[in-house]
Amino acid sequence: MSILFLMSMFFLSFMPLWICIVCIDMKSLIDGTDYPYTEWIGLGMITFLLFVSVLITIKTLRKQVTQNTGEYIVVAAEKDTVSTTAYLLSNALPLLAFDFTQWFDTVQFIIILGFLAVLCLLHYRCDSNVCLELVGYRLYKCSLHGESDDKEEITILIRRKQLNVNDEVVIRKLNDELYIGKYKVSEEQL
């Protein structure tokens, strides 16, 4: 999995935090500040990184790769409804304690965010993303049956509200723990 994709997913996983920071910076600029540089730099960086992250994520999710893909039938599937909320509460919410209109607090925030990014990269954590959930992707813990092999207890990120037993899916491996899935529409359903 591309390090750029991991970093993009990491950045997008903090979207509620970025929205709050933009609001704080805009309020500070509207109220008037003696040194608006912190706010302008913050707004510019967030806008740039958001644009780049969205492009990289869309490109990776839409990528049609024939290697590392396989067709499977769902044997069991359970929707993961907890990881995104837990991620936001444990990682994003505490970062709002910083005053983003002050240079020193901004530097402290960047240091903490840097350590979180390193941990996410080391552990390939890209599965708790509110942006993906908003555009329809869901996480499922699945057991799958295929012609050549079976997959037990894997995590699939798929754009599907409900994944049911006997559904046919095509999955592509992102890393050892995460797969991207696509619901396969059979010819009978067309």
Side-chain angles (χ1 to χ4, degrees):
M1 179 175 8
S2 163
I3 193 166
L4 291 175
F5 177 67
L6 276 174
M7 290 306 298
S8 297
M9 293 297 290
F10 175 76
F11 185 79
L12 291 174
S13 69
F14 286 94
M15 184 55 72
L17 178 68
W18 306 135
I19 292 170
C20 290
I21 292 172
V22 165
C23 290
I24 290 167
D25 286 347
M26 293 301 289
K27 182 184 179 310
S28 179
L29 288 171
I30 290 169
D31 290 346
T33 179
D34 294 335
Y35 304 101
Y37 307 112
T38 304
E39 289 84 352
W40 284 114
I41 291 171
L43 290 170
M45 290 298 294
I46 289 171
T47 302
F48 174 75
L49 291 173
L50 177 64
F51 179 74
V52 170
S53 295
V54 166
L55 286 178
I56 291 170
T57 301
I58 289 171
K59 181 181 177 192
T60 302
L61 291 176
R62 290 189 177 170
K63 188 178 193 182
Q64 299 296 326
V65 177
T66 55
Q67 292 179 329
N68 296 330
T69 62
E71 293 182 17
Y72 294 89
I73 294 175
V74 177
V75 176
E78 180 182 346
K79 189 187 297 186
D80 182 356
T81 58
V82 178
S83 64
T84 303
T85 305
Y87 184 83
L88 286 174
L89 291 175
S90 63
N91 291 329
L93 188 62
L95 294 177
L96 282 173
F98 294 99
D99 181 0
F100 298 101
T101 63
Q102 302 296 317
W103 275 104
F104 186 69
D105 281 6
T106 304
V107 170
Q108 288 177 327
F109 167 77
I110 291 170
I111 291 169
I112 298 295
L113 191 68
F115 278 104
L116 281 173
V118 168
L119 288 173
C120 284
L121 286 173
L122 289 175
H123 298 291
Y124 295 107
R125 288 298 313 253
C126 64
D127 57 352
S128 302
N129 196 310
V130 70
C131 293
L132 288 179
E133 292 217 14
L134 290 175
V135 295
Y137 283 90
R138 301 290 183 262
L139 279 175
Y140 287 91
K141 300 283 186 192
C142 295
S143 294
L144 304 174
H145 172 69
E147 288 182 15
S148 60
D149 67 334
D150 291 340
K151 301 228 182 262
E152 300 291 329
E153 298 295 318
I154 65 168
T155 303
I156 296 177
L157 178 65
I158 190 166
R159 193 171 189 171
R160 181 110 168 108
K161 295 228 182 260
Q162 186 62 41
L163 195 58
N164 301 310
V165 174
N166 294 327
D167 283 349
E168 294 181 37
V169 294
V170 177
I171 61 171
R172 177 171 42 107
K173 187 175 185 176
L174 280 180
N175 63 33
D176 292 334
E177 299 172 13
L178 184 64
Y179 293 79
I180 291 181
K182 184 175 182 182
Y183 182 68
K184 184 177 177 188
V185 178
S186 66
E187 293 165 3
E188 300 164 356
Q189 295 172 336
L190 293 175

